[in-house]
Short mmCIF file of all heavy atoms in Angstrom, two decimals:
data_model
loop_
_atom_site.label_atom_id
_atom_site.label_comp_id
_atom_site.label_asym_id
_atom_site.label_seq_id
_atom_site.Cartn_x
_atom_site.Cartn_y
_atom_site.Cartn_z
N THR A 5 -73.39 -20.97 -35.00
CA THR A 5 -73.19 -22.37 -34.62
C THR A 5 -74.12 -23.31 -35.37
O THR A 5 -73.79 -24.46 -35.64
CB THR A 5 -73.40 -22.54 -33.08
OG1 THR A 5 -74.67 -22.14 -32.72
CG2 THR A 5 -72.31 -21.85 -32.30
N LEU A 6 -75.27 -22.82 -35.77
CA LEU A 6 -76.27 -23.66 -36.49
C LEU A 6 -75.97 -23.69 -38.03
O LEU A 6 -76.45 -24.60 -38.70
CB LEU A 6 -77.70 -23.14 -36.29
CG LEU A 6 -78.21 -23.35 -34.92
CD1 LEU A 6 -79.62 -22.71 -34.83
CD2 LEU A 6 -78.33 -24.81 -34.59
N LEU A 7 -75.19 -22.74 -38.48
CA LEU A 7 -74.96 -22.64 -39.94
C LEU A 7 -74.32 -23.91 -40.53
O LEU A 7 -74.75 -24.35 -41.57
CB LEU A 7 -74.08 -21.40 -40.27
CG LEU A 7 -73.87 -21.07 -41.71
CD1 LEU A 7 -75.20 -20.82 -42.41
CD2 LEU A 7 -72.93 -19.89 -41.90
N PRO A 8 -73.28 -24.49 -39.97
CA PRO A 8 -72.74 -25.72 -40.55
C PRO A 8 -73.73 -26.94 -40.60
O PRO A 8 -73.74 -27.66 -41.61
CB PRO A 8 -71.57 -26.11 -39.58
CG PRO A 8 -71.23 -24.85 -38.87
CD PRO A 8 -72.47 -24.03 -38.82
N PHE A 9 -74.61 -26.97 -39.67
CA PHE A 9 -75.59 -28.03 -39.66
C PHE A 9 -76.63 -27.80 -40.76
O PHE A 9 -77.09 -28.75 -41.46
CB PHE A 9 -76.31 -28.18 -38.32
CG PHE A 9 -75.42 -28.62 -37.24
CD1 PHE A 9 -75.07 -27.77 -36.18
CD2 PHE A 9 -74.89 -29.90 -37.24
CE1 PHE A 9 -74.22 -28.16 -35.18
CE2 PHE A 9 -74.05 -30.32 -36.20
CZ PHE A 9 -73.68 -29.48 -35.19
N ILE A 10 -77.01 -26.56 -40.95
CA ILE A 10 -77.94 -26.22 -42.04
C ILE A 10 -77.34 -26.49 -43.39
O ILE A 10 -78.06 -27.06 -44.28
CB ILE A 10 -78.37 -24.74 -41.91
CG1 ILE A 10 -79.24 -24.53 -40.59
CG2 ILE A 10 -79.21 -24.30 -43.07
CD1 ILE A 10 -79.47 -23.07 -40.22
N VAL A 11 -76.10 -26.18 -43.60
CA VAL A 11 -75.44 -26.42 -44.92
C VAL A 11 -75.34 -27.97 -45.09
O VAL A 11 -75.59 -28.43 -46.18
CB VAL A 11 -73.99 -25.75 -44.88
CG1 VAL A 11 -73.20 -26.23 -46.07
CG2 VAL A 11 -74.14 -24.26 -44.91
N LEU A 12 -75.03 -28.72 -44.08
CA LEU A 12 -74.93 -30.16 -44.21
C LEU A 12 -76.25 -30.76 -44.58
O LEU A 12 -76.34 -31.61 -45.45
CB LEU A 12 -74.37 -30.75 -42.90
CG LEU A 12 -74.12 -32.24 -42.87
CD1 LEU A 12 -73.07 -32.60 -43.88
CD2 LEU A 12 -73.78 -32.67 -41.51
N ILE A 13 -77.30 -30.33 -43.98
CA ILE A 13 -78.65 -30.90 -44.24
C ILE A 13 -79.03 -30.49 -45.65
O ILE A 13 -79.61 -31.28 -46.40
CB ILE A 13 -79.71 -30.40 -43.20
CG1 ILE A 13 -79.41 -31.02 -41.84
CG2 ILE A 13 -81.10 -30.70 -43.64
CD1 ILE A 13 -80.18 -30.44 -40.67
N GLY A 14 -78.77 -29.30 -46.09
CA GLY A 14 -79.06 -28.88 -47.48
C GLY A 14 -78.32 -29.70 -48.51
O GLY A 14 -78.83 -30.07 -49.54
N ALA A 15 -77.02 -29.94 -48.30
CA ALA A 15 -76.24 -30.82 -49.20
C ALA A 15 -76.77 -32.24 -49.28
O ALA A 15 -76.86 -32.80 -50.37
CB ALA A 15 -74.79 -30.77 -48.77
N MET A 16 -77.18 -32.77 -48.15
CA MET A 16 -77.74 -34.13 -48.15
C MET A 16 -79.09 -34.13 -48.96
O MET A 16 -79.33 -35.10 -49.63
CB MET A 16 -77.92 -34.55 -46.68
CG MET A 16 -76.60 -34.89 -45.96
SD MET A 16 -76.80 -35.30 -44.23
CE MET A 16 -78.08 -36.54 -44.23
N PHE A 17 -79.88 -33.11 -48.78
CA PHE A 17 -81.15 -32.98 -49.46
C PHE A 17 -80.90 -33.00 -50.99
O PHE A 17 -81.56 -33.71 -51.75
CB PHE A 17 -81.92 -31.80 -49.05
CG PHE A 17 -83.16 -31.57 -49.85
CD1 PHE A 17 -84.25 -32.35 -49.73
CD2 PHE A 17 -83.13 -30.52 -50.80
CE1 PHE A 17 -85.41 -32.10 -50.45
CE2 PHE A 17 -84.28 -30.27 -51.54
CZ PHE A 17 -85.46 -31.07 -51.36
N LEU A 18 -79.92 -32.18 -51.49
CA LEU A 18 -79.63 -32.08 -52.86
C LEU A 18 -79.11 -33.42 -53.48
O LEU A 18 -79.42 -33.80 -54.58
CB LEU A 18 -78.65 -30.95 -53.15
CG LEU A 18 -79.19 -29.54 -52.91
CD1 LEU A 18 -78.07 -28.51 -53.06
CD2 LEU A 18 -80.30 -29.27 -53.82
N MET A 19 -78.24 -34.11 -52.68
CA MET A 19 -77.68 -35.39 -53.17
C MET A 19 -78.73 -36.44 -53.27
O MET A 19 -78.84 -37.16 -54.24
CB MET A 19 -76.58 -35.84 -52.26
CG MET A 19 -75.30 -35.01 -52.37
SD MET A 19 -73.86 -35.73 -51.54
CE MET A 19 -74.41 -35.73 -49.83
N THR A 20 -79.66 -36.51 -52.28
CA THR A 20 -80.68 -37.55 -52.36
C THR A 20 -81.72 -37.19 -53.46
O THR A 20 -82.25 -38.08 -54.05
CB THR A 20 -81.41 -37.66 -51.02
OG1 THR A 20 -81.96 -36.37 -50.63
CG2 THR A 20 -80.50 -38.18 -49.93
N ARG A 21 -81.91 -35.92 -53.70
CA ARG A 21 -82.81 -35.54 -54.76
C ARG A 21 -82.31 -35.93 -56.11
O ARG A 21 -83.11 -36.47 -56.98
CB ARG A 21 -83.05 -34.02 -54.72
CG ARG A 21 -84.01 -33.53 -55.70
CD ARG A 21 -84.23 -32.03 -55.52
NE ARG A 21 -84.93 -31.51 -56.63
CZ ARG A 21 -85.03 -30.23 -56.91
NH1 ARG A 21 -84.44 -29.34 -56.13
NH2 ARG A 21 -85.68 -29.83 -57.95
N SER A 22 -81.00 -35.76 -56.40
CA SER A 22 -80.46 -36.15 -57.70
C SER A 22 -80.45 -37.68 -57.87
O SER A 22 -80.71 -38.17 -58.93
CB SER A 22 -79.03 -35.58 -57.91
OG SER A 22 -78.12 -36.15 -56.96
N ALA A 23 -80.12 -38.37 -56.77
CA ALA A 23 -80.15 -39.85 -56.84
C ALA A 23 -81.60 -40.39 -57.12
O ALA A 23 -81.74 -41.30 -57.87
CB ALA A 23 -79.63 -40.44 -55.55
N LYS A 24 -82.55 -39.72 -56.50
CA LYS A 24 -83.95 -40.14 -56.69
C LYS A 24 -84.38 -39.90 -58.17
O LYS A 24 -85.08 -40.76 -58.74
CB LYS A 24 -84.86 -39.38 -55.74
CG LYS A 24 -86.31 -39.88 -55.73
CD LYS A 24 -87.22 -39.08 -54.85
CE LYS A 24 -86.98 -39.61 -53.41
NZ LYS A 24 -87.97 -39.06 -52.50
N LYS A 25 -83.93 -38.81 -58.81
CA LYS A 25 -84.20 -38.54 -60.18
C LYS A 25 -83.62 -39.58 -61.07
O LYS A 25 -84.29 -40.03 -62.05
CB LYS A 25 -83.76 -37.12 -60.57
CG LYS A 25 -84.59 -36.05 -60.11
CD LYS A 25 -84.06 -34.66 -60.69
CE LYS A 25 -85.01 -33.53 -60.20
NZ LYS A 25 -84.53 -32.26 -60.77
N LYS A 26 -82.41 -39.99 -60.79
CA LYS A 26 -81.76 -41.02 -61.59
C LYS A 26 -82.52 -42.36 -61.48
O LYS A 26 -82.68 -43.05 -62.49
CB LYS A 26 -80.30 -41.20 -61.19
CG LYS A 26 -79.43 -40.10 -61.66
CD LYS A 26 -77.95 -40.33 -61.18
CE LYS A 26 -77.08 -39.16 -61.52
NZ LYS A 26 -75.66 -39.37 -61.09
#
Side-chain angles (χ1 to χ4, degrees):
T5 57
L6 291 177
L7 187 62
F9 294 112
I10 294 171
V11 169
L12 183 64
I13 291 171
M16 289 174 51
F17 173 74
L18 291 175
M19 287 189 301
T20 57
R21 184 175 167 197
S22 66
K24 187 181 281 189
K25 281 186 178 181
K26 287 180 184 178

